[in-house]
Amino acid sequence: MTPIDLNADLGEGFGRWRLTDDEQLLSVVTSANVACGFHAGDAATMRRVCELAAGRGVTIGAQVSYRDLAGFGRRAMDVPPAELAAEVAYQIGALEVFARAAGARVAYVKPHGALYNRVVHDEEQAAAVVDGVLLADASLPVLGLPGSRLLALAGEAGLPTVTEAFADRAYTDEGTLVPRGREGAVVSDPEAVVERSVELARSGTVAAHSGARIAIRARSLCLHGDTPGAVELARRVRARLTTEGLTVAAFA
């Protein structure tokens, strides 16, 4: 059975404000999606998280987003493609400095928030993200939603693609994420999240918001670092996956 990766969004703070418990989560996850300063994060935070990740052998990924600190990168924005491509490359490059200083490297790219959801269907914005990754490093894998335009275009451009799933988010029957503003979009019951994690890792299926079973084939599971009780939940997920005989390992 293919190993399953556990990724989490980390470095989501700014200055003295911190949202994620980076140190504790880095003792559980195998890949760290590090905020690159556009939706959260700053130079000192990026450096600290890269040092912590490298010290624990956790793979470092660049979590790129729209330039939206005030909205945490979750507000819809219309950014010209050339500008978006440059900003994606800029974010990857900034994180790469700190990753290399820590003795590691940026090993993959994952969009965040509104950008993540936009590039599921939006051809132009997805192409801009791909152009930005190519500008930064044409060997970087792109992590995203199965069936998204982002992964399709990344594959066509020769970039490695990696699919991911969310045990704590509700899915539509089409395999996309239920918008956060809709009731039931976030799965808050810890036991349900653990069970869904095992289902996704073992069978590649999960119950959609409607109750229908859908296929979500993923190499990586995302554990949101800003969820209340995120550290304990991540520990429970990893422990259960191990108990079920599944191998937990980074994809890059």
Side-chain angles (χ1 to χ4, degrees), residues 64 84-94 128-129 131-137:
V64 299
L84 180 58
E87 290 188 340
V88 166
Y90 178 93
Q91 292 174 77
I92 296 168
V129 172
D131 287 346
V133 177
L134 291 171
L135 182 60
D137 184 341

Side-chain angles (χ1 to χ4, degrees), residues 49-70:
V49 175
C50 284
E51 289 174 347
L52 288 170
R56 288 166 169 75
V58 176
T59 298
I60 297 170
Q63 188 166 40
V64 299
S65 71
Y66 287 127
R67 188 189 294 271
D68 181 27
L69 277 175

Side-chain angles (χ1 to χ4, degrees), residues 166-168 187 189-207 213 221 223 233 236-238 240-241 244 246:
F166 298 82
D168 61 353
V187 181
D189 177 21
E191 188 56 37
V193 173
V194 172
E195 292 298 328
R196 287 164 65 88
S197 297
V198 174
E199 280 185 307
L200 287 162
R202 183 174 289 284
S203 68
T205 63
V206 72
R213 295 207 68 78
L221 285 177
L223 305 172
L233 180 57
R236 288 182 60 183
V237 168
R238 179 153 188 171
R240 180 66 181 280
L241 291 172
E244 293 287 332
L246 295 159

Side-chain angles (χ1 to χ4, degrees), residues 32-146:
N33 316 317
V34 184
C36 299
F38 273 37
H39 75 279
D42 54 37
T45 301
M46 292 161 67
R47 181 180 183 182
R48 175 178 57 82
V49 175
C50 284
E51 289 174 347
L52 288 170
R56 288 166 169 75
V58 176
T59 298
I60 297 170
Q63 188 166 40
V64 299
S65 71
Y66 287 127
R67 188 189 294 271
D68 181 27
L69 277 175
F72 195 58
R74 287 182 174 161
R75 297 185 293 188
M77 302 183 77
D78 289 313
V79 180
E83 183 178 336
L84 180 58
E87 290 188 340
V88 166
Y90 178 93
Q91 292 174 77
I92 296 168
L95 187 66
E96 178 71 5
V97 168
F98 299 116
R100 288 195 177 275
R105 64 186 179 90
V106 171
Y108 66 94
V109 178
K110 173 184 172 178
H112 164 82
L115 182 58
Y116 186 98
N117 292 315
R118 181 77 171 266
V119 297
V120 170
H121 299 296
D122 191 310
E123 188 92 4
E124 186 176 69
Q125 295 283 278
V129 172
V130 170
D131 287 346
V133 177
L134 291 171
L135 182 60
D137 184 341
S139 70
L140 286 175
V142 177
L143 180 62
L145 201 70

Side-chain angles (χ1 to χ4, degrees), residues 163-176:
T163 54
E164 75 168 336
F166 298 82
D168 61 353
R169 289 295 307 278
Y171 282 89
T172 67
D173 288 357
E174 292 73 37
T176 58

